[in-house]
PDB file of all heavy atoms in Angstrom:
ATOM      1  N   ARG L 261     -41.719 -36.977  -7.597  1.00 95.00           N
ATOM      2  CA  ARG L 261     -42.592 -37.042  -6.352  1.00 95.00           C
ATOM      3  C   ARG L 261     -42.548 -38.432  -5.699  1.00 95.00           C
ATOM      4  O   ARG L 261     -42.333 -38.538  -4.563  1.00 95.00           O
ATOM      5  CB  ARG L 261     -43.954 -36.542  -6.683  1.00 95.00           C
ATOM      6  CG  ARG L 261     -44.846 -36.518  -5.499  1.00 95.00           C
ATOM      7  CD  ARG L 261     -46.181 -35.879  -5.750  1.00 95.00           C
ATOM      8  NE  ARG L 261     -47.083 -36.232  -4.618  1.00 95.00           N
ATOM      9  CZ  ARG L 261     -48.080 -37.076  -4.740  1.00 95.00           C
ATOM     10  NH1 ARG L 261     -48.368 -37.667  -5.909  1.00 95.00           N
ATOM     11  NH2 ARG L 261     -48.784 -37.310  -3.686  1.00 95.00           N
ATOM     12  N   TRP L 262     -42.659 -39.393  -6.511  1.00 95.00           N
ATOM     13  CA  TRP L 262     -42.716 -40.794  -6.036  1.00 95.00           C
ATOM     14  C   TRP L 262     -41.298 -41.154  -5.443  1.00 95.00           C
ATOM     15  O   TRP L 262     -41.243 -41.695  -4.374  1.00 95.00           O
ATOM     16  CB  TRP L 262     -43.023 -41.735  -7.170  1.00 95.00           C
ATOM     17  CG  TRP L 262     -42.815 -43.229  -6.781  1.00 95.00           C
ATOM     18  CD1 TRP L 262     -43.717 -43.921  -6.108  1.00 95.00           C
ATOM     19  CD2 TRP L 262     -41.825 -44.104  -7.304  1.00 95.00           C
ATOM     20  NE1 TRP L 262     -43.319 -45.300  -5.989  1.00 95.00           N
ATOM     21  CE2 TRP L 262     -42.146 -45.310  -6.720  1.00 95.00           C
ATOM     22  CE3 TRP L 262     -40.739 -43.888  -8.027  1.00 95.00           C
ATOM     23  CZ2 TRP L 262     -41.276 -46.469  -6.998  1.00 95.00           C
ATOM     24  CZ3 TRP L 262     -39.981 -45.058  -8.314  1.00 95.00           C
ATOM     25  CH2 TRP L 262     -40.248 -46.210  -7.789  1.00 95.00           C
ATOM     26  N   GLN L 263     -40.176 -40.731  -6.114  1.00 97.00           N
ATOM     27  CA  GLN L 263     -38.856 -41.020  -5.633  1.00 97.00           C
ATOM     28  C   GLN L 263     -38.590 -40.268  -4.265  1.00 97.00           C
ATOM     29  O   GLN L 263     -37.927 -40.884  -3.393  1.00 97.00           O
ATOM     30  CB  GLN L 263     -37.810 -40.617  -6.608  1.00 97.00           C
ATOM     31  CG  GLN L 263     -37.758 -41.498  -7.864  1.00 97.00           C
ATOM     32  CD  GLN L 263     -36.800 -40.985  -8.933  1.00 97.00           C
ATOM     33  OE1 GLN L 263     -36.477 -39.852  -8.971  1.00 97.00           O
ATOM     34  NE2 GLN L 263     -36.315 -41.925  -9.770  1.00 97.00           N
ATOM     35  N   ARG L 264     -39.118 -39.181  -4.143  1.00 97.00           N
ATOM     36  CA  ARG L 264     -38.986 -38.430  -2.840  1.00 97.00           C
ATOM     37  C   ARG L 264     -39.682 -39.151  -1.750  1.00 97.00           C
ATOM     38  O   ARG L 264     -39.104 -39.369  -0.618  1.00 97.00           O
ATOM     39  CB  ARG L 264     -39.528 -36.966  -2.856  1.00 97.00           C
ATOM     40  CG  ARG L 264     -38.545 -36.058  -3.626  1.00 97.00           C
ATOM     41  CD  ARG L 264     -39.044 -34.565  -3.405  1.00 97.00           C
ATOM     42  NE  ARG L 264     -40.358 -34.263  -3.961  1.00 97.00           N
ATOM     43  CZ  ARG L 264     -40.631 -33.898  -5.132  1.00 97.00           C
ATOM     44  NH1 ARG L 264     -39.622 -33.676  -5.958  1.00 97.00           N
ATOM     45  NH2 ARG L 264     -41.834 -33.601  -5.577  1.00 97.00           N
ATOM     46  N   GLY L 265     -40.818 -39.698  -2.111  1.00 97.00           N
ATOM     47  CA  GLY L 265     -41.525 -40.561  -1.036  1.00 97.00           C
ATOM     48  C   GLY L 265     -40.749 -41.836  -0.706  1.00 97.00           C
ATOM     49  O   GLY L 265     -40.688 -42.172   0.476  1.00 97.00           O
ATOM     50  N   ILE L 266     -40.192 -42.405  -1.745  1.00 98.00           N
ATOM     51  CA  ILE L 266     -39.414 -43.738  -1.540  1.00 98.00           C
ATOM     52  C   ILE L 266     -38.180 -43.308  -0.663  1.00 98.00           C
ATOM     53  O   ILE L 266     -37.907 -44.078   0.363  1.00 98.00           O
ATOM     54  CB  ILE L 266     -38.972 -44.336  -2.828  1.00 98.00           C
ATOM     55  CG1 ILE L 266     -40.247 -44.827  -3.583  1.00 98.00           C
ATOM     56  CG2 ILE L 266     -38.080 -45.430  -2.579  1.00 98.00           C
ATOM     57  CD1 ILE L 266     -41.000 -45.990  -2.942  1.00 98.00           C
ATOM     58  N   ALA L 267     -37.457 -42.348  -0.942  1.00 98.00           N
ATOM     59  CA  ALA L 267     -36.279 -41.921  -0.253  1.00 98.00           C
ATOM     60  C   ALA L 267     -36.691 -41.671   1.219  1.00 98.00           C
ATOM     61  O   ALA L 267     -35.858 -42.082   2.167  1.00 98.00           O
ATOM     62  CB  ALA L 267     -35.550 -40.683  -0.773  1.00 98.00           C
ATOM     63  N   ALA L 268     -37.747 -40.927   1.445  1.00 98.00           N
ATOM     64  CA  ALA L 268     -38.118 -40.668   2.836  1.00 98.00           C
ATOM     65  C   ALA L 268     -38.530 -41.959   3.670  1.00 98.00           C
ATOM     66  O   ALA L 268     -38.228 -42.114   4.818  1.00 98.00           O
ATOM     67  CB  ALA L 268     -39.343 -39.716   2.869  1.00 98.00           C
ATOM     68  N   GLY L 269     -39.242 -42.923   2.884  1.00 98.00           N
ATOM     69  CA  GLY L 269     -39.621 -44.138   3.570  1.00 98.00           C
ATOM     70  C   GLY L 269     -38.393 -45.074   3.856  1.00 98.00           C
ATOM     71  O   GLY L 269     -38.439 -45.788   4.824  1.00 98.00           O
ATOM     72  N   LEU L 270     -37.368 -44.971   3.050  1.00 98.00           N
ATOM     73  CA  LEU L 270     -36.145 -45.846   3.316  1.00 98.00           C
ATOM     74  C   LEU L 270     -35.143 -45.233   4.207  1.00 98.00           C
ATOM     75  O   LEU L 270     -34.246 -45.873   4.674  1.00 98.00           O
ATOM     76  CB  LEU L 270     -35.515 -46.198   1.944  1.00 98.00           C
ATOM     77  CG  LEU L 270     -36.359 -47.127   1.025  1.00 98.00           C
ATOM     78  CD1 LEU L 270     -35.694 -47.192  -0.343  1.00 98.00           C
ATOM     79  CD2 LEU L 270     -36.510 -48.568   1.680  1.00 98.00           C
ATOM     80  N   ALA L 271     -35.179 -43.890   4.333  1.00 98.00           N
ATOM     81  CA  ALA L 271     -34.195 -43.191   5.182  1.00 98.00           C
ATOM     82  C   ALA L 271     -34.039 -43.826   6.606  1.00 98.00           C
ATOM     83  O   ALA L 271     -32.846 -44.007   7.011  1.00 98.00           O
ATOM     84  CB  ALA L 271     -34.473 -41.709   5.243  1.00 98.00           C
ATOM     85  N   PRO L 272     -35.067 -44.143   7.272  1.00 98.00           N
ATOM     86  CA  PRO L 272     -34.845 -44.738   8.579  1.00 98.00           C
ATOM     87  C   PRO L 272     -34.177 -46.066   8.592  1.00 98.00           C
ATOM     88  O   PRO L 272     -33.572 -46.449   9.622  1.00 98.00           O
ATOM     89  CB  PRO L 272     -36.370 -44.780   9.173  1.00 98.00           C
ATOM     90  CG  PRO L 272     -37.114 -43.935   8.361  1.00 98.00           C
ATOM     91  CD  PRO L 272     -36.434 -43.790   6.985  1.00 98.00           C
ATOM     92  N   LEU L 273     -34.201 -46.692   7.544  1.00 98.00           N
ATOM     93  CA  LEU L 273     -33.619 -47.996   7.323  1.00 98.00           C
ATOM     94  C   LEU L 273     -32.149 -47.871   6.812  1.00 98.00           C
ATOM     95  O   LEU L 273     -31.500 -48.853   6.555  1.00 98.00           O
ATOM     96  CB  LEU L 273     -34.365 -48.907   6.439  1.00 98.00           C
ATOM     97  CG  LEU L 273     -35.841 -49.139   6.968  1.00 98.00           C
ATOM     98  CD1 LEU L 273     -36.656 -49.931   5.837  1.00 98.00           C
ATOM     99  CD2 LEU L 273     -35.956 -49.781   8.245  1.00 98.00           C
ATOM    100  N   ASP L 274     -31.618 -46.675   6.532  1.00 98.00           N
ATOM    101  CA  ASP L 274     -30.335 -46.411   6.085  1.00 98.00           C
ATOM    102  C   ASP L 274     -30.121 -47.112   4.636  1.00 98.00           C
ATOM    103  O   ASP L 274     -29.046 -47.694   4.433  1.00 98.00           O
ATOM    104  CB  ASP L 274     -29.274 -46.800   7.078  1.00 98.00           C
ATOM    105  CG  ASP L 274     -27.844 -46.352   6.646  1.00 98.00           C
ATOM    106  OD1 ASP L 274     -27.740 -45.194   6.036  1.00 98.00           O
ATOM    107  OD2 ASP L 274     -26.900 -47.092   7.003  1.00 98.00           O
ATOM    108  N   LEU L 275     -31.118 -46.988   3.786  1.00 98.00           N
ATOM    109  CA  LEU L 275     -30.984 -47.541   2.410  1.00 98.00           C
ATOM    110  C   LEU L 275     -31.282 -46.485   1.399  1.00 98.00           C
ATOM    111  O   LEU L 275     -32.292 -45.678   1.586  1.00 98.00           O
ATOM    112  CB  LEU L 275     -31.934 -48.738   2.221  1.00 98.00           C
ATOM    113  CG  LEU L 275     -31.629 -50.061   2.950  1.00 98.00           C
ATOM    114  CD1 LEU L 275     -32.727 -51.007   2.806  1.00 98.00           C
ATOM    115  CD2 LEU L 275     -30.335 -50.669   2.477  1.00 98.00           C
ATOM    116  N   THR L 276     -30.596 -46.436   0.355  1.00 98.00           N
ATOM    117  CA  THR L 276     -31.054 -45.575  -0.829  1.00 98.00           C
ATOM    118  C   THR L 276     -31.941 -46.487  -1.571  1.00 98.00           C
ATOM    119  O   THR L 276     -32.134 -47.672  -1.360  1.00 98.00           O
ATOM    120  CB  THR L 276     -29.764 -45.333  -1.676  1.00 98.00           C
ATOM    121  OG1 THR L 276     -29.272 -46.448  -2.342  1.00 98.00           O
ATOM    122  CG2 THR L 276     -28.686 -44.595  -0.900  1.00 98.00           C
ATOM    123  N   HIS L 277     -32.586 -45.785  -2.598  1.00 98.00           N
ATOM    124  CA  HIS L 277     -33.555 -46.548  -3.441  1.00 98.00           C
ATOM    125  C   HIS L 277     -32.908 -47.676  -4.110  1.00 98.00           C
ATOM    126  O   HIS L 277     -33.431 -48.818  -4.234  1.00 98.00           O
ATOM    127  CB  HIS L 277     -34.252 -45.532  -4.354  1.00 98.00           C
ATOM    128  CG  HIS L 277     -35.494 -46.096  -4.963  1.00 98.00           C
ATOM    129  ND1 HIS L 277     -36.271 -45.306  -5.732  1.00 98.00           N
ATOM    130  CD2 HIS L 277     -36.020 -47.356  -4.976  1.00 98.00           C
ATOM    131  CE1 HIS L 277     -37.307 -46.103  -6.202  1.00 98.00           C
ATOM    132  NE2 HIS L 277     -37.175 -47.305  -5.744  1.00 98.00           N
ATOM    133  N   VAL L 278     -31.733 -47.457  -4.681  1.00 98.00           N
ATOM    134  CA  VAL L 278     -31.107 -48.421  -5.500  1.00 98.00           C
ATOM    135  C   VAL L 278     -30.521 -49.502  -4.575  1.00 98.00           C
ATOM    136  O   VAL L 278     -30.741 -50.770  -5.015  1.00 98.00           O
ATOM    137  CB  VAL L 278     -29.830 -47.885  -6.342  1.00 98.00           C
ATOM    138  CG1 VAL L 278     -29.046 -48.884  -6.987  1.00 98.00           C
ATOM    139  CG2 VAL L 278     -30.314 -46.821  -7.313  1.00 98.00           C
ATOM    140  N   GLN L 279     -30.050 -49.227  -3.425  1.00 98.00           N
ATOM    141  CA  GLN L 279     -29.642 -50.276  -2.405  1.00 98.00           C
ATOM    142  C   GLN L 279     -30.871 -51.108  -2.099  1.00 98.00           C
ATOM    143  O   GLN L 279     -30.776 -52.358  -2.064  1.00 98.00           O
ATOM    144  CB  GLN L 279     -29.126 -49.611  -1.269  1.00 98.00           C
ATOM    145  CG  GLN L 279     -27.806 -49.047  -1.293  1.00 98.00           C
ATOM    146  CD  GLN L 279     -27.249 -48.303  -0.113  1.00 98.00           C
ATOM    147  OE1 GLN L 279     -28.094 -47.951   0.826  1.00 98.00           O
ATOM    148  NE2 GLN L 279     -25.970 -48.063  -0.014  1.00 98.00           N
ATOM    149  N   PHE L 280     -31.967 -50.411  -1.956  1.00 98.00           N
ATOM    150  CA  PHE L 280     -33.234 -51.234  -1.655  1.00 98.00           C
ATOM    151  C   PHE L 280     -33.583 -52.191  -2.757  1.00 98.00           C
ATOM    152  O   PHE L 280     -33.769 -53.387  -2.540  1.00 98.00           O
ATOM    153  CB  PHE L 280     -34.403 -50.314  -1.433  1.00 98.00           C
ATOM    154  CG  PHE L 280     -35.710 -51.052  -1.603  1.00 98.00           C
ATOM    155  CD1 PHE L 280     -36.216 -51.930  -0.644  1.00 98.00           C
ATOM    156  CD2 PHE L 280     -36.473 -50.770  -2.775  1.00 98.00           C
ATOM    157  CE1 PHE L 280     -37.398 -52.573  -0.800  1.00 98.00           C
ATOM    158  CE2 PHE L 280     -37.693 -51.450  -2.975  1.00 98.00           C
ATOM    159  CZ  PHE L 280     -38.198 -52.365  -1.918  1.00 98.00           C
ATOM    160  N   VAL L 281     -33.572 -51.697  -3.967  1.00 98.00           N
ATOM    161  CA  VAL L 281     -33.942 -52.518  -5.106  1.00 98.00           C
ATOM    162  C   VAL L 281     -33.054 -53.766  -5.250  1.00 98.00           C
ATOM    163  O   VAL L 281     -33.487 -54.877  -5.466  1.00 98.00           O
ATOM    164  CB  VAL L 281     -33.891 -51.773  -6.523  1.00 98.00           C
ATOM    165  CG1 VAL L 281     -34.033 -52.646  -7.654  1.00 98.00           C
ATOM    166  CG2 VAL L 281     -35.063 -50.702  -6.503  1.00 98.00           C
ATOM    167  N   LEU L 282     -31.740 -53.564  -5.076  1.00 98.00           N
ATOM    168  CA  LEU L 282     -30.785 -54.710  -5.221  1.00 98.00           C
ATOM    169  C   LEU L 282     -30.887 -55.575  -4.017  1.00 98.00           C
ATOM    170  O   LEU L 282     -30.769 -56.770  -4.135  1.00 98.00           O
ATOM    171  CB  LEU L 282     -29.441 -54.170  -5.440  1.00 98.00           C
ATOM    172  CG  LEU L 282     -29.276 -53.410  -6.805  1.00 98.00           C
ATOM    173  CD1 LEU L 282     -27.928 -52.798  -6.922  1.00 98.00           C
ATOM    174  CD2 LEU L 282     -29.596 -54.294  -7.960  1.00 98.00           C
ATOM    175  N   LEU L 283     -31.047 -55.065  -2.799  1.00 98.00           N
ATOM    176  CA  LEU L 283     -31.204 -55.910  -1.605  1.00 98.00           C
ATOM    177  C   LEU L 283     -32.501 -56.774  -1.732  1.00 98.00           C
ATOM    178  O   LEU L 283     -32.510 -57.974  -1.583  1.00 98.00           O
ATOM    179  CB  LEU L 283     -31.286 -55.143  -0.357  1.00 98.00           C
ATOM    180  CG  LEU L 283     -31.578 -55.863   0.963  1.00 98.00           C
ATOM    181  CD1 LEU L 283     -30.488 -56.925   1.224  1.00 98.00           C
ATOM    182  CD2 LEU L 283     -31.763 -54.893   2.165  1.00 98.00           C
ATOM    183  N   ALA L 284     -33.631 -56.077  -2.066  1.00 98.00           N
ATOM    184  CA  ALA L 284     -34.892 -56.725  -2.240  1.00 98.00           C
ATOM    185  C   ALA L 284     -34.831 -57.852  -3.330  1.00 98.00           C
ATOM    186  O   ALA L 284     -35.380 -58.994  -3.116  1.00 98.00           O
ATOM    187  CB  ALA L 284     -36.003 -55.791  -2.383  1.00 98.00           C
TER     188      ALA L 284
END
């Protein structure tokens, strides 16, 4: 459930969750 929320939050920024973690 949490991962679905993260994916939805990052979608407009064109980032996957793993891309986000490594970029951040």
Side-chain angles (χ1 to χ4, degrees):
R261 184 171 162 253
W262 174 74
Q263 288 175 337
R264 283 192 299 270
I266 295 293
L270 291 172
L273 303 175
D274 191 31
L275 290 173
T276 67
H277 195 173
V278 175
Q279 288 173 340
F280 160 74
V281 168
L282 295 176
L283 174 65

